[in-house]
Amino acid sequence: MSYKNFPMVPRVIFGRGSFNQLSEILAPKRLSIHAPFIFLVDDVFKGNAWLTSRIPLSYEDKIVFVSTIKEPTTIQVDDLVEDIILTTKALPSGIIGIGGGSVLDLAKAVSIMLTNEGEAKDYQGWDLVKNEAIYHVGIPTISGTGAEVSRTTVLIGPEKKLGINSDFTPFDQVILDSELTKDVPTDQWFYTGMDCYIHCIESLTGTYLNTFSETYGNMALELCKEVFLENNLTKTESEEKLMMASWHGGMSIAYSQVGVAHAMSYALAFLLGVKHGIGNCIVFDHLEEFYPEGVTLFKAMKQQHNITLPQGICANLSDADFDKMISITLNLVPLWENALGKNWKTIITPKKLKELYQKM
Amino acid sequence: MSYKNFPMVPRVIFGRGSFNQLSEILAPKRLSIHAPFIFLVDDVFKGNAWLTSRIPLSYEDKIVFVSTIKEPTTIQVDDLVEDIILTTKALPSGIIGIGGGSVLDLAKAVSIMLTNEGEAKDYQGWDLVKNEAIYHVGIPTISGTGAEVSRTTVLIGPEKKLGINSDFTPFDQVILDSELTKDVPTDQWFYTGMDCYIHCIESLTGTYLNTFSETYGNMALELCKEVFLENNLTKTESEEKLMMASWHGGMSIAYSQVGVAHAMSYALAFLLGVKHGIGNCIVFDHLEEFYPEGVTLFKAMKQQHNITLPQGICANLSDADFDKMISITLNLVPLWENALGKNWKTIITPKKLKELYQKM
């Protein structure tokens, strides 16, 4: 048996206001005055001087605002890379992602594609990346999905939604400043936080679980319960705890895997563009038979925060659409195997999947 | 306010038997056939073919067995470094520590001193190391002290017991194979495990605590309770959980600090050579007034495992000895400040310390 040699983020700074230390962190990483730092920033922060005025810009550094209305795509990565290459005199000194999972995944992918030939879609899969990425920094502004700590960057390609999983993917530096999450709207806060919660349930009940992942998963799960079920935290405490839940939840899948909710929501994202957080919630809401305790608790959290999930999103799909979704989800073998064991195909059939999707 | 930018171990492998992957991990790190890997191995494994036969030796690689009867010293580090420089044709490709906290700390210190001038004692303190260390790997064979994850290497120097704390100290690679801990004698298992437990109590009740450290501390504490108080784990489960407790406990002090037990036991180590694990236990046993709940639980664990701590170790000390110990411990300002706040000097006086030591 061979175990994964897991790459961890080698530098992390945690604290309210630690974003102010970005300048001192980047300074020693500047390669030359012609090698800029490129800040990929979620465009919800456009015009938000509280954040943007604190981004340290020197020489030819620049901010690129990124729309996150849709899930990030391989084409978006290729466009960003092309634009950087055409407008800078030297390879950048670093790529800094400031945003949620979409922006963080884009930052990771761009830093990889600046030093690897071809197109981003060529690298969707496991360990296909050849060269070390450009120095890259992750600064989450919303908590839950764990992109700040993972060795993947999930992208929608022409043929599949799949991550660039590699040892070069993780950030070289992460800044965990929970103050950056203070203005996240409730719905988004809930959906993204539930992504973490669902990671924990899928990891902790999975067949791939080991003690390493279990300890991180337990910790993240406890934090999710504190944040979403107990009502005795201040806003700051809640923001800090959810940020740590995201971090530990991401570590928990290092040695395990996600499961049914992720497998099914990937296909929703690919076909319908449903975003990751809400997609997981829509699916998980119907998975009592696979995760009975987890779904019960999820429904309680949903109720407590008055969250109404969209209904009937698959109502108008054609048979061809269903077939496409089913084919995409069945391809995610490790997720199914983790969730249901080696004999998962006896439980999960195309018919079964169609019935589940039709409820959503 | 400025937050620490904490260096994490960038690579970790976890799993029963993962020690067998050492060869494939080291191979790409070999700099030349003249640049050997030096394996510092706890001499309890001398003649233990189960372990030593699996250490991959090629070219001029060698095993150096290290006695851990005493706490590691700066002189021991200097001697090891001198010996390596005199007997190898090139700087080593890597230093691999296989053992408990003492061996791991020696491996970290040796890897630093091979690239930094002068003597190890010159670097006891915070951030005094100038150059990057040689590639170094940590493989714990006993769990609890957290040396595998920390940014310090605690050494007894001519004037003090103090760590070489630096960003270059953490291992480049850690292998967490709990099978290596299977033959640890009960007493040592308990003392070293309690080092982890005491870390958690000191960290979680300290004034330096933040949410980052708190989450790791809570997790490690829960694992310690499972291992030392609940009786429903298999031997393998218990070994795996204690290994993770050590890891998370070490992370918990990343952003916090240890406290009263460590401050007082450092002086016992310096003056009497009392080893770290047992020293912490001897001290902690008398700290009800500072850690009431923690000490109660500690006594319960001690009883459950029939542990009898040495008594009267300070019985024959002279006033000069007490003065020396008190002076050493009072110098550890961050530990006292973490434990008791800014005004700790109003609580901890030389008289108070002497009374406490006299009980031990």
Side-chain angles (χ1 to χ4, degrees):
Chain A
M1 160 143 208
S2 178
Y3 301 95
K4 267 192 282 188
N5 192 10
F6 187 75
M8 301 214 299
V9 170
R11 286 273 179 173
V12 60
I13 182 165
F14 175 92
R16 204 87 177 163
S18 57
F19 184 63
N20 291 336
Q21 288 170 244
L22 184 54
S23 171
E24 71 188 68
I25 288 169
L26 295 181
K29 301 293 180 184
R30 187 180 294 279
L31 301 172
S32 84
I33 59 168
H34 298 303
F37 288 107
I38 311 288
F39 299 86
L40 300 184
V41 182
D42 190 322
D43 70 2
V44 295
F45 291 110
K46 217 172 198 170
N48 179 335
W50 175 76
L51 185 121
T52 56
S53 69
R54 293 190 291 155
I55 296 176
L57 296 174
S58 305
Y59 307 110
E60 292 160 34
D61 298 347
K62 64 179 172 186
I63 295 176
V64 178
F65 286 104
V66 181
S67 164
T68 55
I69 291 182
K70 293 185 183 165
E71 293 268 280
T73 65
T74 56
I75 291 170
Q76 203 177 356
V77 172
D78 296 334
D79 286 348
L80 283 165
V81 169
E82 192 183 4
D83 187 61
I84 290 170
I85 288 172
L86 291 177
T87 59
T88 59
K89 293 178 191 140
L91 272 183
S93 295
I95 305 294
I96 297 96
I98 304 174
S102 296
V103 174
L104 297 183
D105 277 357
L106 282 172
K108 291 195 271 188
V110 166
S111 74
I112 287 170
M113 292 311 301
L114 280 165
T115 56
N116 286 274
E117 293 193 349
E119 298 172 71
K121 72 177 170 53
D122 305 336
Y123 297 92
Q124 284 181 290
W126 281 268
D127 301 311
L128 302 171
V129 179
K130 301 280 179 300
N131 304 315
E132 204 175 326
I134 296 269
Y135 172 78
H136 49 305
V137 179
I139 308 177
T141 62
I142 179 166
S143 296
T145 193
E148 66 279 13
V149 78
S150 77
R151 81 187 275 286
T152 191
T153 156
V154 187
L155 300 171
I156 301 213
E159 284 158 30
K160 54 200 169 196
K161 175 176 175 179
L162 186 62
I164 300 178
N165 297 269
S166 89
D167 286 351
F168 303 117
T169 306
F171 287 110
D172 297 296
Q173 167 82 55
V174 166
I175 298 178
L176 298 176
D177 179 353
S178 65
E179 198 177 15
L180 304 179
T181 69
K182 69 184 171 59
D183 297 321
V184 174
T186 304
D187 274 21
Q188 217 186 336
W189 165 82
F190 184 84
Y191 299 143
T192 314
M194 283 303 107
D195 190 14
C196 175
Y197 172 76
I198 294 168
H199 282 163
C200 295
I201 302 297
E202 291 182 322
S203 165
L204 290 169
T205 60
T207 61
Y208 285 14
L209 188 68
N210 70 9
T211 308
F212 185 93
S213 286
E214 187 185 9
T215 63
Y216 284 101
N218 280 332
M219 178 160 49
L221 183 58
E222 284 311 307
L223 290 165
C224 285
K225 288 183 191 169
E226 273 191 81
V227 168
F228 291 102
L229 275 179
E230 297 168 21
N231 281 315
N232 48 16
L233 299 177
T234 65
K235 186 163 186 296
T236 298
E237 282 169 350
S238 174
E239 286 161 10
E240 291 206 322
K241 288 192 183 223
L242 192 55
M243 190 156 261
M244 288 312 300
S246 176
W247 178 258
H248 296 311
M251 283 302 295
S252 177
I253 24 185
Y255 264 101
S256 58
Q257 245 306 352
V258 285
V260 182
H262 278 76
M264 294 191 66
S265 83
Y266 269 35
L268 288 181
F270 186 84
L271 204 79
L272 305 177
V274 179
K275 289 208 72 185
H276 186 70
I278 192 169
N280 278 336
C281 288
I282 290 169
V283 176
F284 197 67
D285 207 28
H286 295 282
L287 298 184
E288 296 93 338
E289 69 179 289
F290 304 107
Y291 307 111
E293 288 176 40
V295 174
T296 304
L297 216 55
F298 170 77
K299 288 182 188 288
M301 293 174 180
K302 209 176 52 160
Q303 189 174 19
Q304 184 166 330
H305 298 286
N306 297 312
I307 302 293
T308 311
L309 291 172
Q311 304 289 325
I313 60 166
C314 295
N316 299 319
L317 296 187
S318 67
D319 282 349
D321 290 336
F322 279 117
D323 289 347
K324 177 78 188 156
M325 284 211 298
I326 288 163
S327 143
I328 289 171
T329 184
L330 286 175
N331 263 328
L332 297 164
V333 176
L335 283 64
W336 291 110
E337 206 172 274
N338 176 51
L340 304 166
K342 293 274 178 205
N343 297 321
W344 62 272
K345 284 190 179 169
T346 60
I347 305 165
I348 289 297
T349 58
K351 182 165 169 285
K352 174 79 186 171
L353 284 170
K354 189 167 182 178
E355 283 165 13
L356 279 167
Y357 277 128
Q358 281 171 330
K359 289 193 207 167
M360 295 171 192
Chain B
M1 161 145 208
S2 179
Y3 301 95
K4 267 192 281 189
N5 192 7
F6 188 74
M8 300 216 300
V9 170
R11 284 274 179 172
V12 60
I13 180 165
F14 176 93
R16 204 85 177 166
S18 56
F19 185 62
N20 291 336
Q21 288 169 247
L22 184 54
S23 172
E24 73 188 66
I25 287 169
L26 295 181
K29 300 293 180 183
R30 188 180 294 279
L31 301 172
S32 85
I33 59 169
H34 298 303
F37 288 107
I38 310 288
F39 299 86
L40 299 184
V41 182
D42 191 321
D43 69 3
V44 297
F45 291 109
K46 217 173 197 167
N48 180 334
W50 175 76
L51 185 120
T52 57
S53 70
R54 293 190 289 155
I55 296 176
L57 296 174
S58 304
Y59 307 109
E60 292 159 35
D61 298 346
K62 65 179 170 185
I63 295 177
V64 178
F65 287 104
V66 181
S67 165
T68 55
I69 293 182
K70 293 184 182 163
E71 293 269 279
T73 65
T74 55
I75 291 171
Q76 204 178 353
V77 173
D78 295 334
D79 287 349
L80 284 164
V81 170
E82 193 182 4
D83 188 62
I84 290 169
I85 288 173
L86 291 176
T87 60
T88 58
K89 292 177 192 142
L91 272 185
S93 294
I95 305 293
I96 298 95
I98 304 174
S102 297
V103 173
L104 297 183
D105 277 356
L106 281 172
K108 291 195 269 188
V110 166
S111 74
I112 287 169
M113 292 311 301
L114 280 165
T115 55
N116 286 274
E117 293 196 347
E119 299 171 72
K121 72 175 169 57
D122 306 336
Y123 297 92
Q124 286 180 287
W126 281 268
D127 300 311
L128 303 170
V129 179
K130 301 280 179 299
N131 304 314
E132 205 176 326
I134 297 267
Y135 173 76
H136 50 304
V137 179
I139 308 178
T141 62
I142 178 167
S143 297
T145 193
E148 67 278 14
V149 77
S150 77
R151 80 186 279 282
T152 191
T153 154
V154 187
L155 300 170
I156 301 213
E159 284 158 30
K160 57 201 169 197
K161 175 175 176 181
L162 186 62
I164 300 178
N165 298 270
S166 86
D167 286 351
F168 303 117
T169 306
F171 287 110
D172 298 297
Q173 167 81 55
V174 166
I175 298 179
L176 297 177
D177 178 353
S178 65
E179 199 177 16
L180 304 179
T181 69
K182 70 184 171 58
D183 297 321
V184 174
T186 304
D187 274 23
Q188 218 186 335
W189 165 81
F190 185 84
Y191 299 144
T192 314
M194 284 302 108
D195 190 14
C196 176
Y197 173 74
I198 294 168
H199 282 164
C200 295
I201 302 295
E202 291 183 324
S203 165
L204 291 169
T205 60
T207 60
Y208 285 15
L209 188 69
N210 70 9
T211 307
F212 185 92
S213 285
E214 187 184 10
T215 63
Y216 284 101
N218 280 333
M219 176 160 51
L221 182 60
E222 283 311 307
L223 291 165
C224 285
K225 288 182 191 170
E226 271 192 83
V227 168
F228 291 103
L229 277 178
E230 295 167 23
N231 282 316
N232 47 16
L233 299 177
T234 65
K235 186 163 184 299
T236 298
E237 283 169 349
S238 173
E239 286 161 10
E240 290 205 323
K241 289 194 181 220
L242 192 55
M243 190 156 262
M244 288 312 299
S246 176
W247 177 259
H248 295 312
M251 283 302 294
S252 176
I253 25 184
Y255 264 101
S256 58
Q257 245 305 352
V258 285
V260 182
H262 277 76
M264 293 191 70
S265 84
Y266 269 35
L268 287 180
F270 186 84
L271 204 79
L272 305 176
V274 179
K275 289 207 70 185
H276 186 70
I278 191 169
N280 277 337
C281 288
I282 291 170
V283 174
F284 197 67
D285 209 26
H286 295 283
L287 298 185
E288 296 93 337
E289 69 180 287
F290 304 107
Y291 306 111
E293 286 174 41
V295 174
T296 304
L297 215 57
F298 171 76
K299 287 181 190 289
M301 294 173 179
K302 208 175 55 160
Q303 190 175 17
Q304 184 166 330
H305 299 285
N306 296 312
I307 303 293
T308 311
L309 290 172
Q311 304 288 325
I313 61 165
C314 294
N316 299 318
L317 295 187
S318 67
D319 282 350
D321 290 336
F322 279 117
D323 288 348
K324 178 76 188 158
M325 286 211 297
I326 289 163
S327 144
I328 289 170
T329 185
L330 286 176
N331 262 328
L332 297 163
V333 175
L335 283 64
W336 292 110
E337 206 172 272
N338 176 49
L340 305 166
K342 292 275 178 204
N343 297 321
W344 62 273
K345 282 190 179 169
T346 59
I347 304 165
I348 290 297
T349 59
K351 182 164 170 287
K352 175 78 186 173
L353 284 170
K354 189 167 182 179
E355 283 166 13
L356 280 166
Y357 276 128
Q358 281 172 329
K359 287 194 209 166
M360 294 172 191

